[in-house]
Amino acid sequence: MCGITGWVSFDSDLTRERETVDAMTATMACRGPDDSGTWVNRHVALGHRRLAIIDLPGGRQPMSVPTPGGEVVMVYSGETYNFSELRAELTGLGHRFRTGSDTEVVLHGYLEWGEAVADHLNGMYAFAIWDAREAKLVMIRDRMGIKPFYYYPTADGVLFGSEPKAILANPRVRKVVDLDGLRELIAFTKAPGWSLWHGMSEVEPGTIVRVDAEGVHTRTYWKLPARQHTDDQETTVGRVRELLTDIVERQLVADVPRCVLLSGGLDSSAVTGLAAASLDEQLRTFSVDFLGQEENFQPDEMRGTPDSPFVRDVARLVGSAHQDVMLDPGALTDPAARRAVITARDIPAGLGDLDISLYLLFKAIRAESTVALSGESADEVFGGYRWFHDGRARDADTFPWLAFQSGFFDRLSPLRRDVVEKMDMESYVADQYAAAVASVEHVDGESELEGRMRTVCHLHLTRFVRMLLDRKDRASMAVGLEVRVPFCDHRLVEYVYNTPWSLKTFDGREKSLLRHAAKHVLPQSVVDRVKSPYPSTQDPGYAAALQQQAKEVLAEHDSPVFGVMERSWLTEAVERDPAKITMQERAGLDRALDLYHWFDLYRPELRLTS
């Protein structure tokens, strides 16, 4: 896993821009702490930062292959889990390899199949290839959007990078944020191709972007297929078990220390159990918790039980070398940690301790391991969230996660009223929802309920999961940790997506298929456990610390954040009794502080006209 960046300019001589290319590449240093490389030609410049995972000495980039028609050069981020099979196939077709890296396999795959190489890959990846034979740049992103990838068309070419910061490091790019950027930041709908920064877009998952002298061209090479499911319950459970076993085995391949993120929930416990069964060595596991949380835990609307007892049950069953990463309020409220998270994500996400604790967990793990497997995305694939099973949210004429907890997702509270009026969020969310539903393909003979649940699953697999995958990647790669997501293997996603809702819930509970497919490697306590989301601190000291920091923001009368944030709202928030502050008010303080630090770090130019 690495960081990539580049610049194509058909009208300029980029050999004179090495300093800028180096600066763009340097922004990816956290993603690739092990090595750095650039390749600069007259109209093309490619930059790469490497996190060495497979073939440590042999996978240096940019990687190139000379051909009679011109050089073919690639910068690659990610992992291709079927690279051994592809290497054997390509060897049989006459290709010769100099290294043992998956990077070289992908590059030779492009030489053999062209852009159709994407159809052959199983993995998480974002890569760019400059093909001098046709004077074109080809950018390809994995099917589910696990690896981030952004591009910025220019008058004579394109800029690209794993993260916006690489593109923003080019002085030709203005840090402009307009109403469309702000709308999606607040909306939580993950509009396709969205970037906060005006003029910048994501390479959408499952998409190929080609840039040549004629302009920018996009093509979708993969989308969720709609198929009839004919397997019975026993066969379906068996197939899910077979796929998961193969996926976890593939994703454990690495030449560096690896581990599993263990929360004590069904998803991470399943990955842990399968990984332990696959390895000939003791598995390492890590979890996050908050000082005093287990002893003082109070059940709430989202979390009925603390994680720790279930974590211990799993670690005991599989015999893992387990480590709890214990966080105290001081770590969670440290402004430096908040700024590190904002810098990692390039946006003021406003998720507070949820983001900060994840970043601190990854930072602690990185001291021990370089690769971690995660249970991320199982809820989207198998239908685990509570709103999947809530009729009101499920049938609402909007995104189910917005309908389920409208108070939690009221992200407008710190903003100025005039800004809110210009944003017209109700219309924006309605338009996004209509577009998302229109993209769903159905199969003949579906009942009304099955058709609706296919739509709900599609929304999660093409919208909701992409937000969480981006959060996971940016927080982990900010500390040079590669996090792999077995539940995003496209073979599993396609298979489970097409199973009827009646099969997904055949035992009357959430994630029936996963529970029964993995119960042979799980303790009974986890098999019986009800879904519980990622932990959040319950310490009232957290809110008190936010209030104190917000007072310091209020003291800065000329801060640019007050161009979008309501000063009176913040004034009222800091005067409340911290012991009585609601979760919604606490979330508003987190959003306000994120906005303040984001303005300070990025100095954006706002364009808030309709």
Side-chain angles (χ1 to χ4, degrees), residues 277-296:
S278 174
L279 290 175
D280 294 328
E281 62 193 60
Q282 186 180 32
L283 178 68
R284 298 205 65 174
T285 54
F286 292 85
S287 65
V288 66
D289 203 354
F290 308 105
L291 199 63
Q293 181 100 324
E294 183 178 4
E295 297 84 352
N296 303 299

Side-chain angles (χ1 to χ4, degrees), residues 414-490:
L415 300 183
R416 285 173 40 165
R417 293 304 96 188
D418 59 327
V419 175
V420 171
E421 290 174 4
K422 290 177 182 178
M423 292 171 71
D424 188 11
M425 293 302 298
E426 186 175 344
S427 296
Y428 177 82
V429 172
D431 289 345
Q432 286 298 320
Y433 178 71
V437 170
S439 69
V440 183
E441 296 180 1
H442 291 271
V443 297
D444 294 337
E446 282 182 330
S447 67
E448 183 177 354
L449 174 60
E450 290 291 350
R452 178 57 187 168
M453 293 314 298
R454 180 181 289 276
T455 295
V456 169
C457 292
H458 194 280
L459 294 174
H460 282 80
L461 291 169
T462 59
R463 296 281 186 136
F464 195 78
V465 76
R466 294 179 185 177
M467 292 183 277
L468 299 186
L469 289 172
D470 183 76
R471 168 180 176 257
K472 175 271 307 172
D473 177 272
R474 306 288 280 280
S476 62
M477 292 306 292
V479 297
L481 176 70
E482 174 173 294
V483 176
R484 300 175 177 180
V485 277
F487 291 111
C488 279
D489 186 294
H490 71 279

